[in-house]
Amino acid sequence: MDFPTYAAEELVLIAESFLRAQGDVLTDEAAVALRTSCDLAVASGFIDRLGNGRFAREFGRKAAAVRDLRIYDLHGSSGVPPPDEVTTLHVGDVMDAYQELTQGVSPDR
């Protein structure tokens, strides 16, 4: 079955909706990084190889996982981070997630 390629704006909406459902929020800078990453995935021809809409959901999951590791590195097992810290995604979380998801993927072109 063939699915049409999503536009970057649609991918952003899917990712933001997924993140909201998890209770996560993006900083303003992270939101820009999300939009830029989705633009790049579509413009580079990566998006169909990355799973199209599935990419947006995996992007959200991966960014949250990167955030969780960052928080653990900061607080370890000895500290308790503030509640907003465990639900906020920063630009580095988004950029690192994009790098991990696209590593080794070549464009469709």
Side-chain angles (χ1 to χ4, degrees):
M1 178 173 266
D2 246 355
F3 292 102
T5 300
Y6 284 109
E9 300 81 26
E10 293 170 311
L11 295 168
V12 169
L13 290 173
I14 293 168
E16 288 176 338
S17 175
F18 177 81
L19 290 169
R20 264 192 314 277
Q22 292 189 146
D24 292 323
V25 296
L26 296 158
T27 64
D28 290 342
E29 295 84 6
V32 170
L34 175 66
R35 284 189 289 279
T36 301
S37 297
C38 290
D39 285 339
L40 184 59
V42 171
S44 299
F46 288 158
I47 196 58
D48 288 325
R49 288 180 167 233
L50 292 169
N52 211 2
R54 185 174 50 246
F55 162 76
R57 291 186 303 277
E58 289 304 314
F59 197 1
R61 283 188 187 104
K62 179 62 76 176
V66 169
R67 184 242 358 254
D68 294 346
L69 289 173
R70 175 178 52 79
I71 290 171
Y72 182 79
D73 287 345
L74 284 172
H75 299 280
S77 59
S78 63
V80 177
D84 65 322
E85 191 174 352
V86 296
T87 59
T88 303
L89 297 168
H90 294 272
V91 66
D93 304 328
V94 173
M95 292 173 64
D96 288 351
Y98 182 79
Q99 286 295 95
E100 287 186 36
L101 288 171
T102 60
Q103 184 177 351
V105 178
S106 59
D108 247 353
R109 298 176 190 188

XYZ file of all heavy atoms in Angstrom:
828
model
N 0.841 -1.166 0.000
C 0.000 0.000 0.000
C 0.892 1.238 0.000
O 1.839 1.329 0.765
C -0.891 -0.024 1.240
C -1.786 1.167 1.366
S -2.949 1.002 2.737
C -4.330 0.328 1.860
N 0.585 2.173 -0.856
C 1.358 3.405 -0.968
C 0.669 4.547 -0.229
O -0.529 4.768 -0.413
C 1.480 3.807 -2.446
C 2.883 3.730 -2.955
O 3.786 3.466 -2.152
O 3.073 3.936 -4.172
N 1.434 5.231 0.616
C 0.914 6.395 1.324
C 1.593 7.627 0.755
O 2.795 7.596 0.486
C 1.214 6.295 2.826
C 0.455 5.207 3.516
C 1.076 4.003 3.822
C -0.874 5.377 3.860
C 0.386 2.985 4.455
C -1.568 4.364 4.503
C -0.944 3.164 4.793
N 0.843 8.703 0.586
C 1.477 9.926 0.095
C 2.460 10.473 1.131
O 2.277 10.287 2.338
C 0.302 10.896 -0.110
C -0.805 10.354 0.725
C -0.579 8.871 0.847
N 3.496 11.106 0.640
C 4.495 11.700 1.522
C 3.881 12.891 2.253
O 3.251 13.751 1.642
C 5.713 12.169 0.706
O 6.260 11.032 0.036
C 6.768 12.801 1.590
N 4.071 12.923 3.562
C 3.577 14.048 4.347
C 4.444 15.275 4.102
O 5.655 15.168 3.899
C 3.615 13.740 5.842
C 2.526 12.821 6.315
C 2.826 11.521 6.707
C 1.211 13.254 6.406
C 1.832 10.669 7.160
C 0.215 12.410 6.855
C 0.531 11.118 7.227
O -0.451 10.280 7.683
N 3.826 16.440 4.185
C 4.565 17.697 4.156
C 5.194 17.911 5.529
O 4.742 17.348 6.530
C 3.615 18.855 3.833
N 6.224 18.732 5.568
C 6.915 19.003 6.830
C 5.947 19.523 7.894
O 6.029 19.128 9.060
C 8.052 19.992 6.603
N 5.012 20.392 7.495
C 4.057 20.952 8.453
C 3.193 19.855 9.078
O 2.866 19.912 10.260
C 3.152 21.996 7.778
C 3.881 23.177 7.193
C 4.498 22.891 5.817
O 4.007 22.006 5.074
O 5.508 23.534 5.497
N 2.824 18.868 8.267
C 2.016 17.759 8.778
C 2.827 16.905 9.758
O 2.301 16.475 10.787
C 1.525 16.890 7.622
C 0.535 17.603 6.717
C 0.231 16.829 5.458
O 1.182 16.372 4.782
O -0.982 16.676 5.151
N 4.091 16.689 9.446
C 4.954 15.931 10.349
C 5.109 16.639 11.685
O 5.083 16.004 12.740
C 6.318 15.703 9.705
C 6.317 14.828 8.463
C 7.664 14.912 7.760
C 5.959 13.394 8.810
N 5.252 17.957 11.634
C 5.368 18.743 12.865
C 4.102 18.592 13.697
O 4.167 18.371 14.912
C 5.655 20.231 12.554
C 5.512 21.095 13.795
C 7.039 20.394 11.945
N 2.944 18.677 13.063
C 1.675 18.530 13.783
C 1.556 17.152 14.425
O 1.102 17.025 15.572
C 0.493 18.786 12.853
C 0.297 20.228 12.403
C -0.810 20.317 11.343
C -0.014 21.125 13.581
N 1.973 16.117 13.708
C 1.921 14.760 14.259
C 2.851 14.662 15.468
O 2.463 14.143 16.525
C 2.304 13.718 13.194
C 1.243 13.662 12.095
C 2.502 12.338 13.829
C 1.675 12.887 10.861
N 4.081 15.142 15.318
C 5.056 15.064 16.413
C 4.582 15.865 17.622
O 4.651 15.387 18.762
C 6.424 15.554 15.947
N 4.091 17.081 17.400
C 3.613 17.909 18.515
C 2.423 17.263 19.211
O 2.335 17.285 20.444
C 3.247 19.305 18.015
C 4.450 20.143 17.653
C 4.089 21.504 17.056
O 2.957 21.661 16.538
O 4.941 22.389 17.112
N 1.531 16.671 18.447
C 0.371 15.995 19.028
C 0.812 14.797 19.869
O 0.305 14.583 20.981
C -0.568 15.539 17.916
O -1.620 14.787 18.425
N 1.756 14.031 19.361
C 2.295 12.892 20.094
C 2.938 13.355 21.405
O 2.699 12.774 22.465
C 3.307 12.136 19.228
C 3.960 11.001 19.945
C 3.323 9.780 20.063
C 5.206 11.160 20.527
C 3.911 8.731 20.746
C 5.802 10.123 21.210
C 5.163 8.903 21.323
N 3.740 14.399 21.329
C 4.419 14.910 22.520
C 3.417 15.418 23.556
O 3.557 15.154 24.748
C 5.414 16.012 22.145
C 6.641 15.529 21.378
C 7.415 16.714 20.810
C 7.528 14.673 22.265
N 2.408 16.155 23.104
C 1.371 16.647 24.022
C 0.672 15.490 24.720
O 0.407 15.545 25.915
C 0.336 17.491 23.266
C 0.585 18.964 23.324
C -0.596 19.776 22.821
N -1.188 19.302 21.575
C -0.728 19.596 20.366
N 0.324 20.351 20.218
N -1.333 19.123 19.289
N 0.368 14.434 23.960
C -0.312 13.268 24.538
C 0.541 12.603 25.613
O 0.005 12.008 26.545
C -0.662 12.265 23.437
N 1.858 12.710 25.496
C 2.771 12.166 26.505
C 2.957 13.113 27.680
O 3.613 12.772 28.655
C 4.168 11.924 25.912
C 4.264 10.854 24.906
C 5.713 10.551 24.554
O 5.997 9.411 24.294
N 6.624 11.489 24.529
N 2.449 14.342 27.546
C 2.632 15.339 28.595
C 3.909 16.140 28.449
O 4.321 16.823 29.378
N 4.547 16.055 27.284
C 5.791 16.784 27.040
C 5.537 18.117 26.359
O 4.548 18.282 25.639
C 6.726 15.949 26.160
C 7.245 14.708 26.857
O 7.509 14.790 28.075
O 7.391 13.668 26.201
N 6.458 19.054 26.592
C 6.399 20.362 25.953
C 7.772 20.681 25.356
O 8.794 20.196 25.826
C 5.983 21.486 26.938
C 4.573 21.272 27.441
C 6.951 21.566 28.098
N 7.749 21.503 24.322
C 8.972 21.947 23.659
C 9.291 23.375 24.075
O 8.375 24.211 24.170
C 8.784 21.936 22.137
C 8.544 20.593 21.473
C 7.861 20.765 20.134
C 9.861 19.854 21.306
N 10.563 23.666 24.300
C 10.942 25.073 24.453
C 10.747 25.717 23.080
O 10.602 25.016 22.061
C 12.417 25.220 24.881
O 13.256 24.698 23.841
C 12.688 24.543 26.220
N 10.754 27.039 23.035
C 10.612 27.723 21.738
C 11.713 27.296 20.771
O 11.454 27.049 19.594
C 10.638 29.242 21.925
C 9.394 29.762 22.621
O 8.372 29.044 22.666
O 9.451 30.905 23.143
N 12.935 27.188 21.274
C 14.059 26.790 20.434
C 13.906 25.350 19.958
O 14.247 25.013 18.822
C 15.392 26.962 21.176
C 15.734 28.398 21.507
C 15.079 28.896 22.804
O 14.436 28.094 23.519
O 15.231 30.097 23.086
N 13.401 24.484 20.806
C 13.185 23.083 20.427
C 12.089 22.979 19.368
O 12.177 22.142 18.463
C 12.831 22.245 21.648
N 11.064 23.825 19.461
C 9.999 23.832 18.460
C 10.556 24.232 17.098
O 10.191 23.653 16.068
C 8.865 24.766 18.883
N 11.450 25.214 17.080
C 12.104 25.621 15.824
C 12.947 24.468 15.280
O 12.927 24.173 14.082
C 12.959 26.892 16.027
C 13.815 27.177 14.807
C 12.067 28.079 16.347
N 13.686 23.786 16.155
C 14.513 22.650 15.731
C 13.644 21.523 15.174
O 14.031 20.874 14.191
C 15.359 22.150 16.898
N 12.485 21.289 15.766
C 11.562 20.274 15.265
C 11.105 20.630 13.851
O 11.150 19.795 12.946
C 10.360 20.133 16.200
C 9.257 19.185 15.738
C 9.751 17.749 15.696
C 8.043 19.304 16.654
N 10.686 21.888 13.658
C 10.239 22.320 12.331
C 11.370 22.233 11.305
O 11.175 21.744 10.189
C 9.691 23.750 12.390
C 8.309 23.833 13.010
C 7.697 25.212 12.871
N 8.338 26.211 13.710
C 8.097 26.394 14.992
N 7.207 25.637 15.602
N 8.719 27.330 15.670
N 12.548 22.666 11.697
C 13.698 22.639 10.798
C 14.061 21.199 10.427
O 14.360 20.896 9.270
C 14.907 23.348 11.447
O 14.532 24.696 11.740
C 16.120 23.342 10.542
N 14.024 20.312 11.405
C 14.348 18.907 11.158
C 13.341 18.261 10.216
O 13.724 17.504 9.311
C 14.392 18.137 12.475
O 15.415 18.630 13.310
N 12.068 18.546 10.416
C 11.044 18.001 9.520
C 11.190 18.570 8.111
O 11.060 17.834 7.125
C 9.647 18.249 10.077
S 9.282 17.246 11.550
N 11.478 19.859 8.010
C 11.748 20.472 6.698
C 12.901 19.762 6.008
O 12.830 19.437 4.818
C 12.102 21.959 6.841
C 10.911 22.849 7.134
O 9.760 22.441 6.859
O 11.136 23.971 7.644
N 13.966 19.524 6.753
C 15.153 18.886 6.198
C 14.873 17.444 5.770
O 15.311 17.006 4.696
C 16.292 18.932 7.218
C 17.641 18.399 6.769
C 18.154 19.162 5.546
C 18.638 18.504 7.906
N 14.135 16.711 6.572
C 13.814 15.318 6.237
C 13.021 15.234 4.940
O 13.273 14.361 4.107
C 13.047 14.657 7.379
N 12.087 16.160 4.744
C 11.280 16.169 3.523
C 12.115 16.659 2.341
O 12.154 16.021 1.282
C 10.013 17.029 3.705
C 9.284 17.219 2.389
C 9.086 16.387 4.736
N 12.810 17.783 2.507
C 13.587 18.365 1.414
C 14.726 17.454 0.957
O 15.070 17.427 -0.223
C 14.145 19.728 1.840
N 15.288 16.695 1.883
C 16.407 15.810 1.559
C 15.958 14.492 0.934
O 16.792 13.709 0.494
C 17.209 15.499 2.821
O 17.732 16.669 3.368
N 14.673 14.234 0.949
C 14.162 12.981 0.420
C 14.282 11.827 1.397
O 14.121 10.673 1.017
N 14.562 12.116 2.670
C 14.696 11.075 3.691
C 13.354 10.536 4.159
O 13.281 9.407 4.644
C 15.380 11.629 4.953
C 16.840 11.919 4.838
C 17.426 12.811 5.714
C 17.636 11.312 3.896
C 18.777 13.093 5.653
C 18.991 11.584 3.821
C 19.560 12.477 4.696
N 12.320 11.328 4.081
C 11.111 11.061 4.853
C 10.444 9.727 4.532
O 9.986 9.030 5.436
C 10.112 12.244 4.776
C 9.080 12.120 5.881
C 9.475 12.352 3.409
C 9.661 12.085 7.274
N 10.402 9.335 3.279
C 9.772 8.051 2.968
C 10.602 6.893 3.509
O 10.056 5.908 3.998
C 9.534 7.908 1.468
C 8.406 8.805 0.991
O 7.440 8.998 1.751
O 8.494 9.320 -0.139
N 11.909 7.003 3.471
C 12.777 5.962 4.026
C 12.697 5.928 5.550
O 12.991 4.909 6.158
C 14.217 6.178 3.600
C 14.415 5.872 2.159
C 15.836 6.090 1.739
N 15.966 5.491 0.450
C 16.889 4.609 0.133
N 17.783 4.266 1.019
N 16.921 4.098 -1.058
N 12.352 7.053 6.151
C 12.243 7.131 7.612
C 10.864 6.702 8.120
O 10.638 6.668 9.322
C 12.547 8.554 8.080
C 13.989 9.007 7.895
C 14.106 10.509 8.144
C 14.915 8.235 8.812
N 9.951 6.424 7.212
C 8.645 5.924 7.636
C 7.534 6.946 7.605
O 6.446 6.688 8.106
N 7.813 8.141 7.043
C 6.780 9.155 6.855
C 6.140 9.533 8.194
O 6.823 10.085 9.048
C 5.769 8.655 5.824
C 5.147 9.757 5.018
O 5.464 10.918 5.166
N 4.242 9.395 4.143
N 4.867 9.246 8.408
C 4.198 9.620 9.663
C 4.782 8.918 10.882
O 4.825 9.482 11.977
N 5.237 7.693 10.687
C 5.869 6.956 11.786
C 7.122 7.688 12.274
O 7.441 7.689 13.456
C 6.215 5.532 11.336
C 6.764 4.664 12.423
C 6.956 3.206 11.999
N 7.677 3.049 10.754
C 7.163 2.560 9.617
N 5.899 2.163 9.580
N 7.890 2.452 8.534
N 7.822 8.352 11.341
C 9.006 9.140 11.701
C 8.653 10.201 12.736
O 9.390 10.402 13.703
C 9.606 9.802 10.459
C 10.539 10.938 10.759
C 11.826 10.680 11.215
C 10.139 12.248 10.594
C 12.696 11.730 11.500
C 11.003 13.292 10.864
C 12.276 13.033 11.321
N 7.529 10.871 12.553
C 7.136 11.944 13.476
C 6.925 11.400 14.887
O 7.365 12.003 15.871
C 5.873 12.638 12.967
N 6.287 10.252 14.992
C 6.083 9.636 16.310
C 7.405 9.167 16.911
O 7.675 9.389 18.097
C 5.094 8.474 16.206
C 3.677 8.917 15.894
C 2.696 7.751 15.930
N 3.052 6.675 15.017
C 2.760 6.648 13.713
N 2.110 7.670 13.167
N 3.111 5.620 12.964
N 8.226 8.526 16.095
C 9.528 8.068 16.589
C 10.421 9.240 16.969
O 11.211 9.143 17.912
C 10.216 7.184 15.543
C 9.565 5.835 15.370
C 9.475 5.058 16.677
O 10.481 4.991 17.419
O 8.396 4.518 16.961
N 10.298 10.325 16.248
C 11.059 11.538 16.556
C 10.696 12.019 17.959
O 11.565 12.331 18.776
C 10.746 12.593 15.506
C 11.719 13.741 15.419
C 12.849 13.829 16.217
C 11.499 14.749 14.503
C 13.731 14.889 16.115
C 12.373 15.815 14.387
C 13.491 15.879 15.196
N 9.407 12.059 18.258
C 8.963 12.458 19.589
C 9.472 11.510 20.667
O 9.956 11.949 21.716
N 9.369 10.214 20.415
C 9.861 9.221 21.383
C 11.360 9.362 21.617
O 11.842 9.313 22.745
C 9.569 7.806 20.884
C 8.165 7.363 21.056
C 8.018 5.881 20.716
N 6.632 5.516 20.739
C 5.876 5.327 19.656
N 6.403 5.446 18.463
N 4.609 5.005 19.768
N 12.103 9.512 20.520
C 13.561 9.596 20.618
C 13.978 10.877 21.339
O 14.884 10.851 22.177
C 14.176 9.535 19.223
C 15.672 9.628 19.190
C 16.355 8.494 19.902
C 16.331 7.234 19.104
N 17.081 6.139 19.754
N 13.329 12.000 21.039
C 13.669 13.266 21.712
C 13.409 13.157 23.218
O 14.206 13.634 24.029
C 12.878 14.424 21.105
N 12.315 12.494 23.591
C 12.011 12.304 25.013
C 13.051 11.397 25.665
O 13.474 11.638 26.805
C 10.605 11.737 25.192
N 13.485 10.375 24.955
C 14.513 9.477 25.493
C 15.839 10.207 25.676
O 16.519 10.019 26.693
C 14.687 8.268 24.578
N 16.188 11.055 24.721
C 17.419 11.850 24.828
C 17.315 12.778 26.041
O 18.253 12.909 26.829
C 17.688 12.645 23.531
C 18.796 13.656 23.715
C 18.014 11.694 22.378
N 16.156 13.392 26.215
C 15.928 14.258 27.374
C 16.086 13.492 28.680
O 16.733 13.954 29.612
C 14.526 14.865 27.295
C 14.188 15.870 28.390
C 13.029 15.511 29.334
N 12.314 14.305 29.118
C 11.080 14.239 28.609
N 10.427 15.323 28.251
N 10.477 13.072 28.474
N 15.502 12.303 28.728
C 15.578 11.490 29.943
C 17.025 11.159 30.297
O 17.410 11.221 31.475
C 14.761 10.216 29.785
C 13.260 10.488 29.665
O 12.829 11.620 29.974
O 12.535 9.560 29.250
N 17.826 10.836 29.295
C 19.244 10.556 29.544
C 19.985 11.806 30.008
O 20.833 11.744 30.900
C 19.906 9.980 28.292
C 19.491 8.565 27.925
C 20.089 8.179 26.573
C 19.893 7.576 29.005
N 19.646 12.948 29.418
C 20.261 14.217 29.823
C 19.946 14.515 31.287
O 20.829 14.884 32.071
C 19.773 15.359 28.927
C 20.266 16.741 29.346
C 19.792 17.832 28.405
N 18.369 17.855 28.155
C 17.446 18.350 28.975
N 17.790 18.860 30.154
N 16.169 18.352 28.636
N 18.705 14.320 31.665
C 18.297 14.581 33.050
C 18.984 13.611 34.005
O 19.451 14.001 35.079
C 16.757 14.518 33.187
C 16.136 15.715 32.476
C 16.341 14.500 34.658
C 14.638 15.649 32.360
N 19.081 12.361 33.603
C 19.764 11.385 34.453
C 21.235 11.770 34.623
O 21.781 11.679 35.726
C 19.645 9.968 33.895
C 20.298 8.962 34.804
C 19.638 8.525 35.951
C 21.580 8.487 34.551
C 20.239 7.630 36.823
C 22.184 7.587 35.417
C 21.516 7.164 36.544
O 22.116 6.286 37.404
N 21.864 12.200 33.538
C 23.264 12.632 33.631
C 23.419 13.820 34.574
O 24.416 13.929 35.277
C 23.821 12.989 32.254
C 24.084 11.767 31.386
O 24.116 10.636 31.925
O 24.246 11.936 30.164
N 22.438 14.707 34.593
C 22.488 15.882 35.464
C 22.226 15.541 36.933
O 22.876 16.072 37.830
C 21.458 16.923 35.023
C 21.780 17.738 33.783
C 20.569 18.576 33.390
C 22.983 18.620 34.028
N 21.256 14.673 37.165
C 20.795 14.414 38.529
C 21.174 13.036 39.061
O 21.154 12.835 40.279
C 19.275 14.604 38.619
C 18.836 15.979 38.296
N 18.911 17.010 39.215
C 18.344 16.521 37.161
C 18.472 18.125 38.632
N 18.128 17.852 37.404
N 21.448 12.111 38.172
C 21.789 10.759 38.599
C 20.724 10.165 39.497
O 19.555 10.531 39.434
N 21.134 9.284 40.330
C 20.174 8.657 41.238
C 20.071 9.406 42.562
O 19.294 9.042 43.433
C 20.582 7.206 41.492
O 21.884 7.170 42.049
N 20.842 10.492 42.687
C 20.862 11.191 43.970
C 19.959 12.411 44.031
O 19.647 12.885 45.118
C 22.291 11.624 44.301
O 22.745 12.538 43.319
N 19.533 12.925 42.904
C 18.738 14.144 42.931
C 17.390 13.951 42.273
O 17.191 13.061 41.457
N 16.464 14.797 42.636
C 15.136 14.763 42.042
C 14.967 16.039 41.230
O 14.974 17.144 41.786
C 14.037 14.672 43.129
C 12.658 14.710 42.493
C 14.221 13.426 43.963
N 14.836 15.904 39.910
C 14.678 17.102 39.080
C 13.299 17.731 39.279
O 12.343 17.037 39.642
C 14.833 16.569 37.665
C 14.485 15.129 37.752
C 14.837 14.687 39.141
N 13.197 19.024 39.031
C 11.882 19.672 39.120
C 10.932 19.070 38.081
O 11.368 18.638 37.010
C 12.173 21.135 38.788
C 13.643 21.280 38.719
C 14.258 19.931 38.660
N 9.641 19.020 38.385
C 8.664 18.401 37.479
C 8.700 18.964 36.056
O 8.572 18.206 35.097
C 7.317 18.679 38.141
C 7.635 18.859 39.585
C 9.014 19.472 39.627
N 8.868 20.283 35.908
C 8.879 20.842 34.551
C 10.106 20.395 33.765
O 10.066 20.310 32.545
C 8.761 22.362 34.576
C 9.949 23.045 35.230
O 10.477 22.516 36.224
O 10.343 24.121 34.733
N 11.173 20.056 34.451
C 12.381 19.601 33.757
C 12.171 18.223 33.115
O 12.715 17.945 32.049
C 13.562 19.556 34.729
C 14.895 19.344 34.039
C 16.075 19.449 34.977
O 15.892 19.831 36.159
O 17.182 19.141 34.529
N 11.381 17.393 33.737
C 11.165 16.044 33.201
C 10.115 16.005 32.092
O 9.917 14.959 31.475
C 10.808 15.017 34.295
C 11.946 14.844 35.266
C 9.536 15.380 35.005
N 9.479 17.123 31.813
C 8.497 17.170 30.727
C 8.885 18.138 29.617
O 8.159 18.257 28.633
C 7.109 17.575 31.256
O 7.186 18.859 31.870
C 6.571 16.541 32.237
N 10.030 18.808 29.752
C 10.423 19.827 28.774
C 11.548 19.316 27.885
O 12.561 18.832 28.365
C 10.880 21.117 29.492
O 9.809 21.572 30.324
C 11.238 22.199 28.488
N 11.325 19.444 26.577
C 12.334 19.078 25.592
C 13.083 20.329 25.153
O 12.464 21.343 24.821
C 11.693 18.407 24.379
C 10.977 17.093 24.658
C 10.143 16.676 23.474
C 11.982 16.021 25.004
N 14.395 20.227 25.132
C 15.255 21.342 24.725
C 15.785 21.112 23.311
O 15.696 20.004 22.778
C 16.409 21.504 25.722
C 15.948 21.916 27.078
N 15.778 23.237 27.435
C 15.585 21.181 28.156
C 15.344 23.300 28.673
N 15.217 22.064 29.138
N 16.353 22.148 22.745
C 16.832 22.084 21.366
C 17.830 20.944 21.168
O 17.778 20.239 20.161
C 17.392 23.455 20.906
C 18.640 23.834 21.678
C 17.665 23.461 19.413
N 18.724 20.740 22.105
C 19.694 19.652 21.985
C 19.043 18.283 21.961
O 19.519 17.378 21.259
N 17.953 18.116 22.702
C 17.229 16.849 22.704
C 16.683 16.549 21.307
O 16.791 15.427 20.805
C 16.060 16.879 23.700
C 16.488 17.230 25.111
O 17.618 16.880 25.506
O 15.673 17.862 25.824
N 16.115 17.574 20.698
C 15.521 17.424 19.367
C 16.608 17.192 18.318
O 16.488 16.290 17.474
C 14.658 18.661 19.018
C 14.176 18.616 17.582
C 13.474 18.761 19.979
N 17.667 17.966 18.376
C 18.739 17.823 17.385
C 19.427 16.464 17.496
O 19.706 15.819 16.476
C 19.737 18.968 17.526
C 19.131 20.312 17.136
S 20.204 21.723 17.480
C 21.577 21.380 16.402
N 19.683 16.011 18.718
C 20.309 14.705 18.900
C 19.391 13.581 18.421
O 19.854 12.604 17.814
C 20.682 14.480 20.366
C 21.856 15.324 20.817
O 22.516 15.982 19.982
O 22.126 15.345 22.043
N 18.103 13.719 18.674
C 17.138 12.708 18.216
C 17.129 12.634 16.696
O 17.128 11.544 16.114
C 15.743 13.033 18.749
N 17.128 13.782 16.039
C 17.134 13.794 14.568
C 18.396 13.121 14.032
O 18.327 12.312 13.104
C 17.029 15.225 14.042
C 16.983 15.279 12.530
C 15.805 15.010 11.850
C 18.121 15.568 11.793
C 15.757 15.030 10.465
C 18.091 15.594 10.410
C 16.907 15.330 9.753
O 16.867 15.337 8.378
N 19.532 13.442 14.625
C 20.797 12.830 14.197
C 20.734 11.314 14.329
O 21.158 10.594 13.435
C 21.971 13.371 15.009
C 22.365 14.787 14.646
C 22.887 14.871 13.231
O 22.145 15.170 12.300
N 24.158 14.612 13.063
N 20.231 10.834 15.455
C 20.144 9.386 15.677
C 19.202 8.715 14.680
O 19.498 7.634 14.174
C 19.696 9.084 17.098
C 20.759 9.339 18.142
C 20.334 8.901 19.534
O 19.634 7.872 19.659
O 20.713 9.603 20.493
N 18.072 9.355 14.406
C 17.088 8.758 13.507
C 17.534 8.760 12.048
O 17.140 7.876 11.281
C 15.745 9.481 13.628
C 14.966 9.228 14.908
C 13.776 10.162 15.001
C 14.519 7.787 14.990
N 18.326 9.737 11.659
C 18.714 9.844 10.247
C 20.117 9.309 9.971
O 20.514 9.242 8.807
C 18.628 11.308 9.771
O 19.503 12.124 10.566
C 17.202 11.829 9.854
N 20.819 8.924 10.990
C 22.175 8.416 10.815
C 22.162 7.220 9.869
O 21.444 6.245 10.076
C 22.748 8.013 12.170
C 24.168 7.553 12.122
C 24.683 7.250 13.533
O 24.024 7.549 14.529
N 25.837 6.664 13.608
N 22.953 7.303 8.826
C 23.073 6.206 7.887
C 21.952 6.092 6.865
O 21.946 5.163 6.065
N 21.007 7.016 6.873
C 19.902 6.973 5.905
C 20.278 7.853 4.719
O 20.633 9.014 4.879
C 18.587 7.483 6.537
C 17.464 7.490 5.505
C 18.209 6.621 7.727
N 20.167 7.291 3.525
C 20.465 8.082 2.344
C 19.165 8.554 1.710
O 18.110 7.919 1.886
C 21.272 7.254 1.344
O 20.542 6.105 0.973
N 19.211 9.651 0.978
C 17.996 10.191 0.353
C 17.402 9.216 -0.661
O 18.103 8.347 -1.193
C 18.469 11.466 -0.341
C 19.824 11.746 0.162
C 20.370 10.477 0.735
N 16.127 9.393 -0.929
C 15.403 8.561 -1.904
C 15.773 8.893 -3.336
O 15.447 8.163 -4.232
C 13.899 8.799 -1.722
C 13.201 7.564 -1.206
O 13.839 6.520 -1.115
O 11.992 7.675 -0.912
N 16.394 10.000 -3.536
C 16.619 10.496 -4.896
C 17.616 9.688 -5.651
O 18.473 9.059 -5.235
C 17.067 11.944 -4.836
C 15.996 12.777 -4.212
C 16.454 14.175 -4.047
N 15.445 14.825 -3.214
C 15.401 16.086 -2.970
N 16.280 16.885 -3.481
N 14.487 16.598 -2.207
